[in-house]
Amino acid sequence: APAAAEEVTIPIIVKDTTSFYWQIVLAGARAAGKDLGVNVPELGAQSEADINGQITILENAVAGKPAAVVIAPTEFKALGKPIDEAAKSVPIIGIDSAADSKAFTSFLTTDNVEGGRVAARGLAEAVKAKTGKAAGDVALITALPGVGSLDQRAKGFKEELAKYPELKLVADKVADGQATTGLNITTDLLTANPNLVGVFASNLIMAQGAGQAIAENKVADKVALIGFDNDDKLVGFLKDGTIAALVVQDPYRMGYDGVKTALAASKKEKVEAFVDTGANLITKANMDEAKNSALLNPKVK
Amino acid sequence: MSATHLATPEAAPLASGDIILELRDLEKRYGPVLALKPASLAFRRGEIHAIVGENGAGKSTLIKLLTGVIPRTAGDIRWNGKSVSLATPQEAIDHGINAVHQEVMLCRHLSVAANIFLGDETVKFGLLQKRDMVRAAQAILDDMGFQLPAAAQLDSLTIGQQQLVATARAAKRGTKFLIFDEPTAYLTRQEAAQLFTLIRRLKAEGVTIVYISHRMEEIFELADRVSVLRDGQMVGTRDIAATDDNELVALMINRTIEQIYHKEQIPFGETLIEARHLSGKGFSDVSLSIRRGEIVGLYGLIGAGRSEFALSLFGRNPKTSGEILWKGKPVAINNERQAIGLGIALAPESRRDQGLNLNLPIGLNLNLPIYERLTKGFVISAGEEARRADKQIRDLSIKTPSRRSLASSMSGGNQQKIVIGKWLNHGADLFIFDEPTVGVDVGTKAEIYRLFAALLKEGAGILLISSYLPEVYELADTLHVFRSGRLVGSNPFHGASHEEVLAEAIGV
Amino acid sequence: MSTVDAASAKASQARRNYSFLFALTLLGLLVLLWAVLAIATPNFMSDKNISNLLRQGSMIAILAVGQTFVIITAGIDLSVGAVVGFTTVIIALLINAGVPVWLSILITLLVGLGIGLFHGFGITKMGLPPFIITLATLTSLRGIGLLITNGSTISIDNDDFTAFATKDFLGIPSLFWMVILVAVPAYIFLNHTRWGRYLFAVGSNPESARLSGVRVNGVIYLAYALSSVFAAFVGVLLATRIGIGNATQAEGWELQAIASTVIGGSSLFGAVGSVHGPLIGAFILATINNGANLLNVNSFWQRIITGGLIIVIVYFDQLRRRGR
Amino acid sequence: MSTVDAASAKASQARRNYSFLFALTLLGLLVLLWAVLAIATPNFMSDKNISNLLRQGSMIAILAVGQTFVIITAGIDLSVGAVVGFTTVIIALLINAGVPVWLSILITLLVGLGIGLFHGFGITKMGLPPFIITLATLTSLRGIGLLITNGSTISIDNDDFTAFATKDFLGIPSLFWMVILVAVPAYIFLNHTRWGRYLFAVGSNPESARLSGVRVNGVIYLAYALSSVFAAFVGVLLATRIGIGNATQAEGWELQAIASTVIGGSSLFGAVGSVHGPLIGAFILATINNGANLLNVNSFWQRIITGGLIIVIVYFDQLRRRGR
Ligand SMILES: Nc1ncnc2c1ncn2[C@@H]1O[C@H](COP(=O)(O)OP(=O)(O)OP(=O)(O)O)[C@@H](O)[C@H]1O
Ligand SMILES: Nc1ncnc2c1ncn2[C@@H]1O[C@H](COP(=O)(O)OP(=O)(O)OP(=O)(O)O)[C@@H](O)[C@H]1O
Ligand SMILES: O[C@@H]1[C@H](O)[C@H](O)CO[C@H]1O
Ligand SMILES: [Mg+2]
Ligand SMILES: [Mg+2]
């Protein structure tokens, strides 16, 4: 057992350190570390699709003999075994997404399938608001293939969309993770489908590209765009009406509570086994409500 | 070294104004290799000064030092009485020192004109005046008597033509000191004659010429004085009038050669190969045959089609019509491996482009055709590999510290020996040697000719392609002349005079 | 003139015409693609879509021209995508800090220049292979950009600046004007100035260039400086187009730029390349993507088709070149 | 023996030792990195971490050895990352279909062989530049893999297979054993068989090789086949490590493999390369990442440091090589 005098270390491993969403998670974790006097190394792979990279980081983190590990598994099945293996030496707290392991001590996640459903409902409403009825062609843009949470969102979105028979999914596009590609795809979709009334861009970067395309083509009054997650840019789009609504999770809390729960688990205290941190639909109308405002303006620095 | 007693100091002391360039204890080391031992020499204004020496003696090294290509490791160079650093090629060019290097040093992707003006382009308002340069380059080429198109891309020319471009480039205006490193190696007699005319004209204009060659007759035809290098050491300078072949050769190799063109009469055996009305790219309707024990010579001008013919026999280039018989039976030779399999070997003309893997060890180059044979089970027998390479290095006296040295670090002549050595190592019934003695020193030439004799005695036949008339003339049992892709005359030129052969080749 | 000379003059004539012919062929392939798409989709030939297409191909086109300078010297610049991402961050910071747009652009281009000079230094003075030094910069620059922004996105709050990318002049998108702005001087530079010629000389045979008094190191500095400055310029354009500064953008664009260059007929062994080639190469790639989107080809098929078309296009081009 | 001969014998002696010394130097740098990390972190030298490190470097190491064969012929293989991703899908499908593991592996390697032969065909018969044909395969293969899996992930439901990657034999991780399994024959092949010699000969001067009776096209087929088969083998290993088949995995591994090869002393212009070089190169890169994780270096700094260290390591290596 680690000596009491030594600083307790609880690494947090996110999927990909290069996106703002994960920076909010890390900010929450950092704040918790400060509040609780815990050393919180901030780790993560270079891309959400880099499964081997995340396994490697998990292995390295466990080799450092931490008190516990907080991890956002990048892929459901692939991280199962490594987490089982790691849990033999330290308590593991899962955040954001699930993994195929029963070894988690606790779990704080968004239900991404539900997030997709929320987006579909939001899209239907926004289309109705713009055109008078929930009918017409819609499109889905996914940032990268092979990313578990994005696939789950697509799944939930399509399931829920089926409940609106007059909304027709005419394009289901997968990009390469670049905002410019999202922009080009959206532009081309607008050209190819003159009757397009809605687009769901299922993550931050795609929403940035798609939002830019809506603005560039000046079709905000005809086409409803739903994004996922948030940063300044998207909040700006939300304000000026380019984006109809954002599905927003609570990453700050995942980070903060993740570390807090991990510390408790390392002390063998009893912790909640499962927490759904929720996916909220935020529109221009409700963006100033206190809770939403807090979600849109996380304390990153 | 006990040989220094051979060197007699120069007779006439020089007035200092006569001297344009002087070396004092100039030295070059490559790591531990002393390529040029401290050498002192003075070049007179307006003289033609020849430098001779065996392959690897240090001739090219000396030239590279004088043109700022490589830095010296010790000593002093004085230009018009003043010490100069010659640290960069540009500095040498600025003084008026230019060279035509042994290996063609041009950019093959650029045009002839662009090469001639490289580093010295005509520019107006910041823009290249391409037409002006092509015109000017053409004027320079025409003036020098070289019939070459200035607008052509360099790699559309033969090596010999490229060598002439390099000459034009170095000899154009502003040159005061011009060095030729084996300029005639790739030239025909006709072109060599043009070159000599140019050199004499430059001399008359007061340009100092340094002339390196392995061809003694050229030295005696052109030079005023001659200096000899041996093993990196300057062993003497002579007035051309006061010396002869024998003395120079003795100075160079520290022994004498009774006979360069070694020729034994060996009875001819069966016919190895017979080409019947063979045509292909660059040649047409060629019929000839080669017997065991026979040297068949192919003489012609550059571009006459001899190399293309040879490459066809070797399966590298397709034939378009005609027939090849091997030991009396019709054969299809569709690729090099089939040719090699029959017992044909080809030492190609361009050692750089076709003959060598320059950035690989000498040993690998020598063994490249025989690795199948060296393989025991799955792996190569390392001992056998080393033995075979060392044998060729010894037999051909290839001047190298080790078979592991890279081919690129060899002097030009030694590189040529590797090209030949690789096929001696392999063995064959028919050897095609395309310009085998380009850049090879007298001593080694004699050795190579002796080697031909040995091959013939063992029952081989030889197809000898050469632009060096004395060589084919003296060695060939049957001499054919190629002109514009065809054999001219129905009879072998045996017994014809040099002049008659040359006249056939040119077509006058 | 003898027959030999006449023959080689003819060959050289052919080769001179060849570059033009070759361009025609590639351009022909591009036009063919357009014709097919014009028939296959109702919207391809619309003004709007042609504008979009021009806009979409512009940035890779400019990168590819810069890359071509480097490739002509027998080098490679893997850093261009990272430079684009990094410079979106630089210009976003500058503009948000209230620096005038023209000055922000100038500073951003100077940052690009600095990166290019660093590459030149690494290659000529430290003796590093271009692949290595530019790979190292690629890695480090993304890190520095992420560090500066703390992994997030900087939203550019200057509407004039971000509106630029959507503007047209004389019916042609501003981004495509930028291609023209870059390509015309690049063409003159490469084909009609001494430094352009030295790029070829160094790529063809650096030793002989050196013997001719060409400052080989200077030429290498120049090539990498141009490539990086072009990339920084693309960073500026990308920032106006997506309205953000983000260090992870333009990932993989280096491969697209190199591919455009090679499709456009450059050789990675140096001394062969043009300005029109990479431009056509870049727009061929952009057309493939645009067409696939308009045809609503499944995204996965889109990748398969892109790979297949690259092979087909370069193959035909090779045939034409050999058959010349 | 004259002084020249004695001196030059010494030089050649030096040169003979050189290849060994050079390896030592790079190895020295690796050992230095290890020493620094052993002092700087309490856990670096733990059994557990050394196991991790060996496991982490293994896959890139094997790819890099395969890539080296291609690079020695003066080629390049950009497809290896895509082949790895694609073959994880193939083996996952096979195993889930109940095909015995040994047969699944064999078939997967044959798929790799097919891809490599296709590259050989494209280069020798269609005359395509290696950069282009392997870039095209990279693009298309990811598309095909995504199409097969419909963009998702295939869980491999064979625990014996997926447990392999975590196993140890004689205290050494199974994945590292695979490196040895590949490297030893690769070493013998490259240095002690005629085909190894031919790879160098073709990379150095294909025309001379051809005129010496070497089947140049055959050698090119061989190099690309080896590279792809090695990549397919890595695909098998990755599948055991992550327990899934997913076509998007191993993105960018081609650059890491090429970088390892170049750090290990290969020249992209061909005819220079070894087996130990890329192995050391790959483990240097793995050590940098592992060390940075253990030192808790911010991931952005990690990129910056990686780039910097690549420069420093290759620079020192160049110095040593020049000073030999
Ligand atoms: N780059 C180099 N590295 C090491 N040794 C070299 C290098 N260049 C030349 N040498 C050595 O220097 C010596 C002199 O070579 P040099 O080329 O000057 O000979 P040369 O007299 O011109 O011979 P040749 O008549 O064959 O051209 C040779 O032993 C050669 O191997
Ligand atoms: N690269 C080339 N491009 C076009 N034609 C060529 C090329 N090389 C050679 N030729 C042509 O092929 C023909 C035969 O050339 P080849 O080299 O066989 O002549 P050769 O008699 O061996 O002369 P040499 O070898 O002395 O130059 C000539 O007409 C020549 O112009
Ligand atoms: O799972 C994550 C998060 O929920 C966030 O939306 C960023 O991208 C996804 O992959
Ligand atoms: Mg020489
Ligand atoms: Mg010839």
Side-chain angles (χ1 to χ4, degrees), chain A residues 259-277:
Chain A
V259 171
K260 197 169 142 193
T261 311
L263 181 65
S266 76
K267 293 178 182 156
K268 307 267 188 303
E269 289 167 14
K270 192 165 160 36
V271 295
E272 193 122 24
F274 184 82
V275 182
D276 183 349
T277 49

Side-chain angles (χ1 to χ4, degrees), chain B residues 355-407:
Chain B
L356 287 177
N357 292 81
L358 278 173
N359 55 354
L360 292 179
I362 295 169
L364 199 159
N365 274 284
L366 287 169
N367 285 323
L368 196 52
I370 63 161
Y371 274 113
E372 248 156 283
R373 254 183 261 161
L374 293 177
T375 302
K376 300 271 143 62
F378 183 67
V379 299
I380 294 167
S381 153
E384 188 63 7
E385 186 185 22
R387 202 185 59 74
R388 297 294 293 257
D390 287 340
K391 179 175 185 306
Q392 292 307 324
I393 290 172
R394 229 179 13 253
D395 288 359
L396 292 171
S397 13
I398 295 173
K399 202 167 162 178
T400 170
S402 153
R403 73 187 118 82
R404 291 188 177 83
S405 299
L406 301 186

